Amino acid sequence: MEKKRILSGMRPTGKLHLGNLHGALSNWVNLQNKYEYEGFYFVADWHALTSDYKDTSRIGENTIDMVIDWLSAGLDPEKSTLFVQSEVVEHAELHLILSMITPLAWLERNPTYKEMKTELSDRDLSTAGFLGYPVLQAA
């Protein structure tokens, strides 16, 4: 039987909280311990740049802290693959290719794009990176 693959990530934009633990990490740990799942969990540092591009000084430190928290919560590198998004060059290449064929109208109609613009109204989100967030997710 082929294992089901799970790919999920978190943006390193600050300290983790109980919502991260209960909303994602505890599920990731449970799934890694089931034989039928193969997990790939990544620090979404490029995703963090889409809304926090003005001050990137803490992304490196937040990345290290995040992975330490993941390990403390029970993610096991012997059972799951943990990686930093920006360390996978092919991710950037695929994002570029998909960006070349994705119509702008599709991105502008995205409900998540509209919600995030409202939620993060204190930031300038009028960038191609923020508009293309779904393309980065697809890559």
Side-chain angles (χ1 to χ4, degrees):
M1 181 171 111
E2 188 174 324
K3 290 185 175 185
K4 299 171 190 166
R5 291 193 175 109
I6 298 168
L7 175 65
S8 192
M10 287 185 196
R11 299 178 331 140
T13 54
K15 300 288 184 195
L16 295 187
H17 48 75
L18 287 175
N20 298 117
L21 178 63
H22 292 292
L25 279 173
S26 60
N27 291 323
W28 294 357
V29 171
N30 288 337
L31 290 170
Q32 87 175 350
N33 294 322
K34 294 183 179 181
Y35 173 74
E36 66 267 17
Y37 294 98
E38 181 179 16
F40 297 86
Y41 305 107
F42 67 100
V43 177
D45 55 342
W46 284 336
H47 281 79
L49 294 176
T50 63
S51 59
D52 294 331
Y53 61 87
K54 285 189 178 183
D55 181 10
T56 61
S57 63
R58 299 200 36 108
I59 289 179
E61 181 182 333
N62 288 344
T63 295
I64 293 167
D65 290 346
M66 179 180 287
V67 173
I68 290 169
D69 288 345
W70 290 359
L71 297 172
S72 298
L75 271 184
D76 183 349
E78 296 291 324
K79 296 178 181 179
S80 298
T81 301
L82 312 178
F83 64 98
V84 177
Q85 180 182 39
S86 63
E87 296 294 322
V88 181
V89 175
E90 293 83 0
H91 192 130
E93 292 171 349
L94 184 56
H95 176 249
L96 176 66
I97 292 166
L98 293 176
S99 293
M100 298 298 176
I101 61 171
T102 304
L104 282 176
W106 289 6
L107 298 173
E108 293 167 338
R109 283 196 308 259
N110 184 324
T112 305
Y113 170 73
K114 293 175 183 178
E115 289 170 14
M116 292 294 284
K117 278 189 80 160
T118 302
E119 287 177 26
L120 302 174
S121 60
D122 61 324
R123 301 178 199 171
D124 179 12
L125 300 176
S126 57
T127 64
F130 184 75
L131 181 63
Y133 191 98
V135 179
L136 186 58
Q137 285 181 304

